[in-house]
Amino acid sequence: MVKIMGWQKYGRRPIKIWLLPTILLAFALRLYRLDTQSLWFDEIVIVALARVSWYQGFLAALGQGIQLTPVFHGIIKLWLAVGDSDWLARMPAALFGVLTIPLVFKLGQLYFDETVGLIAAFIFAVNPYQVWFGQELKLYALLPFIGGGAMYAFGLVVKTRGQRGIVLLTLFNLIGLPAHYFMFLISAVQFLYLIINLKRLYNLLRWWLLTQVIGVLPLALWWVFIIWQQHFAFGIGWIPAPQWYAPFLTFWNFTYVYTGAWSIVAIIALATGITGLIFGLRNTWRKSMWGALLTLWLFFPPAIVLLMSFSRNSFYVDRYFLIVSPILTLLIVGGLLSLRPLPIRWGMI
């Protein structure tokens, strides 16, 4: 763990006491006016697919393009047995958003310390971007949960040399890999970290590969279904080609004050975020074993997709990179908490 002077003086117990109110705050924000806006087109499509048979739903999902999988459609189909009002239909997204809050805390506890975890969880709870997708009948609120969960489990596997985390990693792979193809970027991050530290972590490689194979099995069934149908589309032409600075805008978009226009508030907040990120990355490299892993988690997915999107088809969509939003938040918070003097530290937080 990264240990920054002054972080531990608050003690363990007082820090954990604040986690439950943070979770309740996240829940309240996602439930507030949950059904004020009526379902829009994409949400209506998901509800419509949930109301037909499983086979017809799979066919309809395939008609939207092979870049999509039917996992979230299946979750909503099962959930709508509870009720099909706009409020109830959006509840799974809200629940995934709330579940991410304690996960961010655990990630902070594992890779930094409890103070970083709690403050990052609070910021995640109230972040407008996270709240927005926690109120939309889409799978985007699921992405930080499965991405963060897989990286938390992987961190446990590495830290305990395989004594803990294998089952948890398998579970998150079973949920995540069939849910969205960008989860393969998380697997790639883990693989690269194992290769970089192959001499030290060689014995973990076969267990890690087993968790990946198990996680891919449900997705393989979907691929068999695609091949069996013998006709499919690749419906991703609406995504424009990104500019080289797209990852910078993506990270800025995950913060509070990105508006698409420059202002004094935006500049101050941007400077705060950049300062925190720089110091956060520096501290993970200087004071912990996680520097390479956390840096890869943050930068590898957007960098690879950016390079791929310069070709004929673009894959670069900000909300797909919600899989990296937990570590972006944690690094910024960790960096800001290392600043001195105290008024500057808490002022920037």
Side-chain angles (χ1 to χ4, degrees):
M1 289 190 302
V2 178
K3 297 289 186 182
I4 303 299
M5 185 178 297
W7 287 8
Q8 301 304 311
K9 68 179 181 179
Y10 304 100
R12 287 179 169 272
R13 189 172 180 181
I15 291 174
K16 289 184 176 180
I17 286 175
W18 288 102
L19 181 59
L20 179 58
T22 301
I23 295 172
L24 295 175
L25 175 62
F27 195 41
L29 288 174
R30 283 151 182 81
L31 292 187
Y32 175 66
R33 304 182 68 187
L34 184 59
D35 59 350
T36 296
Q37 298 186 62
S38 60
L39 300 181
W40 68 289
F41 179 79
D42 282 7
E43 293 177 304
I44 293 171
V45 169
I46 292 176
V47 173
L49 295 185
R51 288 175 173 168
V52 300
S53 67
W54 285 98
Y55 178 73
Q56 292 298 322
F58 289 157
L59 284 179
L62 183 56
Q64 298 180 72
I66 61 173
Q67 78 280 0
L68 301 176
T69 69
V71 170
F72 190 72
H73 296 296
I75 293 174
I76 298 302
K77 184 176 181 65
L78 296 173
W79 176 259
L80 290 187
V82 178
D84 60 357
S85 67
D86 290 3
W87 193 89
L88 279 173
R90 286 176 172 149
M91 183 59 72
L95 292 177
F96 282 125
V98 173
L99 286 173
T100 306
I101 306 307
L103 179 59
V104 170
F105 173 76
K106 295 298 290 184
L107 282 164
Q109 191 179 48
L110 176 64
Y111 292 122
F112 298 88
D113 68 17
E114 289 182 341
T115 307
V116 175
L118 179 64
I119 295 176
F122 174 80
I123 291 176
F124 224 82
V126 301
N127 185 297
Y129 202 83
Q130 303 295 337
V131 173
W132 176 271
F133 286 115
Q135 294 186 322
E136 186 175 20
L137 182 53
K138 298 282 286 182
L139 60 70
Y140 304 127
L142 177 63
L143 296 181
F145 177 70
I146 56 179
M151 291 302 291
Y152 174 72
F154 180 75
L156 281 181
V157 171
V158 172
K159 184 177 180 179
T160 64
R161 295 296 192 272
Q163 297 299 310
R164 295 173 57 197
I166 293 292
V167 174
L168 188 62
L169 180 58
T170 303
L171 177 61
F172 274 105
N173 285 341
L174 277 169
I175 301 171
L177 291 175
H180 200 280
Y181 288 112
F182 272 37
M183 276 297 292
F184 283 99
L185 297 171
I186 295 294
S187 296
V189 166
Q190 297 171 0
F191 178 72
L192 288 173
Y193 184 75
L194 289 173
I195 294 301
I196 291 172
N197 297 276
L198 187 60
K199 185 176 181 179
R200 179 169 61 92
L201 303 177
Y202 175 77
N203 292 334
L204 299 180
L205 186 58
R206 61 179 178 177
W207 291 107
W208 178 85
L209 287 172
L210 180 61
T211 69
Q212 303 302 306
V213 171
I214 294 174
V216 168
L217 288 177
L219 186 58
L221 296 176
W222 173 241
W223 292 337
V224 169
F225 180 79
I226 292 175
I227 296 172
W228 180 43
Q229 295 305 310
Q230 297 183 352
H231 60 87
F232 46 82
F234 190 76
I236 205 167
W238 61 269
I239 301 177
Q243 301 296 324
W244 63 268
Y245 50 81
F248 171 78
L249 295 180
T250 295
F251 294 158
W252 195 8
N253 212 13
F254 289 167
T255 64
Y256 277 95
V257 294
Y258 176 73
T259 62
W262 293 99
S263 67
I264 296 299
V265 173
I267 293 172
I268 292 174
L270 178 61
T272 301
I274 291 175
T275 300
L277 182 58
I278 290 174
F279 278 88
L281 287 168
R282 186 200 67 168
N283 293 334
T284 58
W285 281 95
R286 291 177 56 186
K287 302 184 179 185
S288 81
M289 58 182 278
W290 303 115
L293 179 62
L294 302 187
T295 303
L296 284 169
W297 182 7
L298 181 63
F299 292 113
F300 181 81
I304 289 299
V305 176
L306 180 68
L307 292 175
M308 293 174 61
S309 298
F310 287 145
S311 61
R312 182 176 179 179
N313 293 304
S314 176
F315 306 90
Y316 199 99
V317 180
D318 273 2
R319 52 191 178 271
Y320 293 169
F321 294 104
L322 285 166
I323 55 174
V324 308
S325 57
I327 193 55
L328 175 66
T329 306
L330 285 162
L331 283 169
I332 291 176
V333 170
L336 293 179
L337 281 177
S338 69
L339 298 178
R340 297 181 182 180
L342 189 64
I344 292 179
R345 176 192 309 173
W346 288 108
M348 296 185 80
I349 288 290

